[in-house]
Structure formats: C-alpha cells, structure tokens
C-alpha cells in the first residue's frame, strides 16, 4: 500500500482555519536497520485498518513519524490508533503552515482553551514550549522559535510561569517539510511491533483469563495471531462459544483481521474417555489439542502455537506435563505467560479489556469427564500407550474437517 503517496483530499488554503491531524510516533521500529521501511509500511497499513470507515482518511510518512489526516477531529482517532502495536505515542495536533504569525495565533488559541478546560481559576501554571524543527524550509532554529513563542504566550497569559522540567502544560511544535504541527498531549501507545511484520501464530484460546493475554502479548511482538478453540458441544453449552467469540472480537481490536477456528472436540474426548486411564484424560485432551492445532496452523501458514500455560498454575502445568503435552505438537509452542503470577496476568487482562469477558460463567471442555486425580507427573510412555488404542489420525482429520471458521471483522 502506497500510503505515503495518497493525494491530499483538498489543496491547502493559505489562511483558512487550521486542520486537525494525528501525529504518530514509533520507536522500536527505528532500530530495525534495513527492515525499517517494511516495518513502517506495515504500521501504516495497520493504522489504516484500525481507522477504517473514517471519512477523508489519509496516511503519510513524515521523517520518522506517521501522520494521519481525516475529515474528523484527530481526537476521535486516538482511541483506535492507540491499539496499533508499534505506536509509542500519539498527539492530536493542529496542522499549520510555516508562517510564524499563524503558529502564534494557533498556539494562543490552544493555550487559551487548555487553561480554561484544565486549569480553571487564577493559579499559576508551570509551562514550557518545545520545538522540534526538522526542515531547513523553516528558517528559525528550534531554540529561537521556542523563545519567540514562549515570550508571546507569557505576555498574553500572565498565569503562565516557565518551568522547563515537568511543566503542567507543555506546548509542542514539530516543524517538518509538510508543515508545522502544534499539540499539547502525548498519549501513550501500546509499544511493540506492527502485527504481521513477524509472521503468524495460532493461539489456543480457552474461555479462561490466561490465553487471551498470551495472544495479546504475542501480537505485541509483531506476530499476527489466529485463534483456535476446542468446543465440546453438548457437554459444554452455547454460552461458551458465545464467550469465545466475544474474546476473539475483543482481541480483534488489536490487529487488522482475526480468525477464530472452533473445533468440535466431543468425539475425541469420548474416545479418550472410553479407551484411556482416567488419570491421563486431561493430558491426553491437551495432546489432542496440540495435534489438531498443529494441523490447522500449517494450513493457515502459522509458524508456532501459543498457549496461556504458566508453570505450576494448575496441577496439569508441571514441567513434566508441559513437555509431555508439547511433544504432540509439530510446531514450536510459545508460552508468553510461563513466568507470570496470576495477579500479573489479571492486571494485564483488565487493561486490554478481556478480563470481564473471561469472567463470564461458562464451563471449559477440559472439565468434561474430568477424573478426580489427574496425573501430575505424566510419563510419555503411558500417554503413547493409551493413544495406541485410539485412531488418532481419523479423530484428528475428522475434527479438522468439521472445524468452523469465524472472521473478525465479519466482512473484509
Ligand atoms: P486459561 O485461563 O487460558 O484457560 P488456565 O490457567 O485455565 O488458562 P488451562 O485451562 O490448564 O489453564 O489451559 C492451559 C492452556 O491450554 C490455555 O491457556 C489454553 O491455551 C489451552 N486450552 C485449554 N483449554 C482450551 C480450549 N478449550 N480451547 C483452546 N485452548 C485451550
Ligand atoms: Mg482454563
């Protein structure tokens, strides 16, 4: 996508009211040497997807930043843009020309509004002006511009007091070839790398608290994540499926496109129940999940599986059992939460908006036919022996064949 070459929606009028634009900063991408422009292109594409439907949307690359213009105030774009990985911070800005008078007038209006809205009363307000000039087309230096603008604002608003460190009000001006961008806020972005710049993985998404967080952490590292859920209808009811869809939809707010694969798991579980030592049921369910997920992952060109497992969280998550379960996967298994405490996971789940959904009541398929004492230090030979009594290939193929695929957003 040639985002940076998109034409301007309308030509600039020399002295109309200033336009609103969103200045988007990214930092880690800047470290990637030769790959930098690939990462930048991906970031722009993902921003465009996050903002789809916005009237008059235009995206541009300007010297180490992205610039978003639209026919709506930039403030309306900050929430969706702040869910694009790779973004370090965002500033809704007023887009101006290089004319100092015009800049002074806009800065005066901005400060007037902010004083009224954020600092009511007559108290002093510690403030500074910060200018970042990166074009020779604007002749004054950054420092000189800071002084001129600062002096003008101090004169106009007697409540302002210059304070260079930790001012309560900071007026910033970025001067680029394209124009000057005036703003007062830096809204933090999620950081990380643009989704899709580092491949694809398939996350085993249960209705629990952990796996959605594991998926999110994987996306944050630039990996596009699809989801697979094992669904044992009618032993678990439609409320679980609905919950899974809601989780996938919530996570879809963090990447351009999401796909949820819902695998009918009942037949596999019944076969395990009928043929294996009850103590091994949970481990064998988990091995079956890895086997089916690996198949779906290969079809979908995903290069790894992701789970929400962490050490010692439940009886089945001992190092022995993790190894025993992973043995059934033909792809690397990523476990972003492996060292997390539950408290840390819950905190993150709240922040990314999956916690309330995970907390809705719905039974999990692993509790179907659950034994009283699941094995804690499982042995591979025992698992393999039990599996030798099952037709793994037929069970796996049948489950994959009957898998339902749901896409978010629904239409391309
Ligand atoms: P979660 O909160 O993610 O369910 P958990 O701590 O409850 O995690 P388990 O229920 O033991 O842990 O599951 C471990 C991992 O196995 C999950 O994080 C998830 O990745 C995967 N998993 C478990 N059940 C399912 C399922 N029904 N569908 C898809 N994946 C599952
Ligand atoms: Mg669970």
């Amino acid at each position: 996508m040639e985002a940076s070459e998109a034409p301007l929606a309308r030509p600039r009028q020399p002295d109309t009211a200033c336009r609103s634009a969103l200045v988007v900063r990214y930092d880690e991408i800047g470290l990637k040497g030769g790959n930098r422009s690939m990462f930048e292109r991906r970031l722009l594409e993902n921003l465009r997807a996050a903002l789809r439907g916005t009237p008059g949307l235009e995206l541009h690359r300007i010297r180490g930043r992205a610039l978003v213009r639209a026919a709506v105030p930039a403030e309306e774009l900050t929430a969706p843009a702040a869910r694009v990985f790779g973004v370090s911070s965002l500033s809704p800005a007023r887009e101006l020309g290089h004319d100092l008078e015009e800049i002074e007038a806009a800065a005066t209006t901005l400060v007037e509004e902010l004083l009224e809205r954020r600092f009511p009363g007559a108290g002093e307000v510690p403030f500074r002006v910060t200018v970042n000039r990166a074009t020779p087309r604007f002749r004054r230096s950054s420092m000189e511009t800071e002084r001129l603008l600062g002096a003008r604002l101090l004169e106009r608003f007697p409540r302002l007091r210059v304070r260079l460190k930790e001012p309560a009000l900071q007026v910033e001006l970025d001067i680029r070839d394209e124009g000057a961008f005036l703003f007062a806020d830096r809204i933090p972005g999620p950081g990380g790398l643009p989704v899709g710049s580092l491949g694809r993985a398939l996350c085993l998404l249960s209705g629990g608290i952990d796996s959605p967080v594991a998926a999110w952490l994987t996306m944050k590292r630039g990996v596009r994540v699809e989801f697979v859920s094992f669904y044992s209808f009618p032993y678990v009811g439609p409320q679980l499926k609905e919950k899974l869809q809601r989780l996938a939809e919530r996570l879809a707010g963090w990447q351009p496109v999401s796909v949820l694969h819902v695998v009918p798991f009942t037949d596999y579980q019944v076969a395990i129940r009928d043929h294996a030592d009850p103590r091994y049921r949970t481990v064998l369910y988990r091995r079956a999940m890895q086997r089916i997920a690996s198949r779906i992952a290969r079809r979908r060109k995903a290069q790894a599986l992701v789970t929400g497992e962490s050490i010692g969280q439940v009886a089945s998550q001992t190092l022995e059992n993790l190894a025993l379960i992973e043995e059934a996967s033909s792809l690397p298994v990523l476990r972003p939460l492996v060292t997390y405490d539950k408290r840390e996971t819950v905190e993150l789940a709240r922040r990314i908006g999956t916690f309330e959904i995970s907390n809705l009541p719905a039974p999990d398929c692993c509790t179907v036919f659950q034994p009283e004492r699941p094995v804690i230090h499982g042995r591979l030979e025992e698992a393999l022996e039990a599996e030798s009594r099952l037709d793994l290939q037929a069970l796996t193929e049948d489950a994959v064949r009957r898998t339902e695929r749901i896409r978010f957003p629904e239409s391309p």
Side-chain angles (χ1 to χ4, degrees):
M1 188 188 314
E2 294 299 340
S4 56
E5 285 165 24
L8 298 183
R10 54 211 138 104
R12 160 166 280 119
Q13 310 274 306
D15 48 13
T16 49
C18 56
R19 292 215 275 156
S20 148
L22 190 66
V23 175
V24 180
R25 297 176 203 84
Y26 41 88
D27 33 46
E28 201 170 351
I29 305 178
L31 303 175
K32 299 286 164 182
N35 283 335
R36 181 185 173 132
S37 81
M38 183 273 282
F39 283 98
E40 287 179 333
R41 265 202 314 276
R42 182 69 72 164
L43 182 81
L44 255 65
E45 278 173 29
N46 293 354
L47 274 169
R48 183 184 292 283
L51 299 171
R52 64 192 138 213
T54 305
L57 186 67
E58 288 174 37
L59 287 101
H60 302 268
R61 246 192 289 180
I62 52 164
R63 284 190 54 128
R65 315 237 150 126
L67 178 69
V68 183
R69 293 182 179 132
V72 297
E75 284 75 10
E76 291 178 20
L77 312 179
T78 52
R83 282 193 296 268
V84 174
F85 289 116
V87 171
S88 61
S89 71
L90 304 152
S91 297
R94 294 166 198 217
E95 184 175 354
L96 309 159
H98 284 162
D99 175 54
L100 193 61
E101 302 255 308
E102 185 195 1
I103 292 171
E104 282 178 357
T108 304
T109 312
L110 176 66
V111 170
E112 188 163 29
E113 273 170 28
L114 290 172
L115 284 177
E116 229 178 80
R117 232 181 324 128
R118 296 190 192 167
F119 306 93
E124 291 186 356
V125 177
F127 125 106
R128 74 165 289 169
V129 175
T130 304
V131 175
N132 178 319
R133 179 192 65 148
T135 172
R137 290 194 201 168
F138 188 82
R139 288 202 326 281
R140 292 173 206 276
S141 73
S142 298
M143 207 185 276
E144 194 187 347
T145 315
E146 282 175 6
R147 289 219 192 90
L148 281 169
L149 208 49
R152 175 63 64 94
L153 292 169
L154 285 169
E155 203 177 277
R156 172 75 176 72
F157 303 101
R159 289 167 67 199
L160 298 178
R161 289 286 173 278
V162 174
R163 190 197 288 165
L164 299 185
K165 272 194 189 158
E166 297 181 26
L169 172 60
Q170 176 162 225
V171 172
E172 294 195 65
L173 185 69
D174 281 359
I175 308 174
R176 298 291 183 268
D177 284 348
E178 295 78 0
F181 301 90
L182 178 77
F183 54 91
D185 293 309
R186 285 174 182 247
I187 296 153
L193 293 162
V195 169
S197 59
L198 286 161
R200 196 184 286 194
L202 182 65
C203 180
L204 283 73
L205 187 74
S206 69
I209 293 166
D210 300 341
S211 42
V213 177
W216 185 86
L217 286 168
T218 308
M219 290 179 203
K220 184 165 189 252
R221 296 312 304 165
V223 178
R224 179 177 155 193
V225 177
E226 294 199 357
F227 313 109
V228 60
S229 297
F230 296 87
Y231 181 51
S232 305
F233 190 79
Y235 295 99
V236 299
Q239 74 271 37
L240 176 66
K241 189 167 166 194
E242 202 174 293
K243 183 176 172 182
L244 292 165
Q245 279 176 265
R246 286 186 60 186
L247 281 172
E249 195 171 10
R250 184 57 56 90
L251 289 165
W254 296 88
Q255 65 182 359
V257 177
S258 295
V259 177
L260 169 66
H261 304 267
V262 182
V263 180
F265 200 44
T266 317
D267 293 352
Y268 222 129
Q269 288 193 291
V270 167
I272 290 170
R273 179 196 66 188
D274 291 346
H275 293 98
D277 176 345
R279 293 178 314 127
Y280 268 78
R281 274 178 201 161
T282 310
V283 161
L284 293 177
Y285 295 164
R286 295 289 159 88
R287 283 175 57 85
M289 290 182 190
Q290 301 276 318
R291 206 174 287 123
I292 295 168
S294 299
R295 288 284 279 274
I296 294 175
R298 285 183 187 282
R299 287 195 175 186
R300 301 292 299 172
K301 303 202 177 359
Q303 299 134 303
L305 302 183
V306 178
T307 75
E309 291 161 317
S310 74
I311 299 171
Q313 198 175 89
V314 291
S316 65
Q317 294 176 15
T318 57
L319 288 178
E320 287 89 345
N321 282 353
L322 291 185
L324 181 55
I325 291 163
E326 178 163 355
E327 199 271 342
S329 167
S330 64
L331 290 171
V333 180
L334 311 180
R335 298 182 183 86
L337 302 179
V338 75
T339 62
Y340 273 47
D341 295 341
K342 195 73 185 186
R343 187 177 45 79
E344 295 169 301
T345 307
V346 165
E347 232 168 71
L348 199 45
R350 282 188 201 280
R351 226 161 34 96
I352 65 176
T354 55
F355 184 75
E356 318 87 75
I357 306 173
S358 295
N359 250 356
L360 298 171
D364 182 1
C365 74
C366 287
T367 57
V368 173
F369 320 131
Q370 198 176 35
E372 260 173 43
R373 277 173 207 282
V375 61
I376 289 172
H377 303 287
R379 294 181 42 224
L380 182 60
E381 309 84 82
E382 303 254 354
L384 292 176
E385 196 275 323
E387 284 171 358
S388 71
R389 278 176 270 136
L390 304 171
D391 188 346
L392 293 185
Q393 190 170 341
L395 287 166
T396 306
E397 270 167 19
D398 184 58
V400 171
R401 191 172 45 75
R402 292 192 293 125
T403 292
E404 180 188 358
R405 198 188 297 168
I406 306 169
R407 192 181 182 280
F408 304 89
E410 271 164 41
S411 59

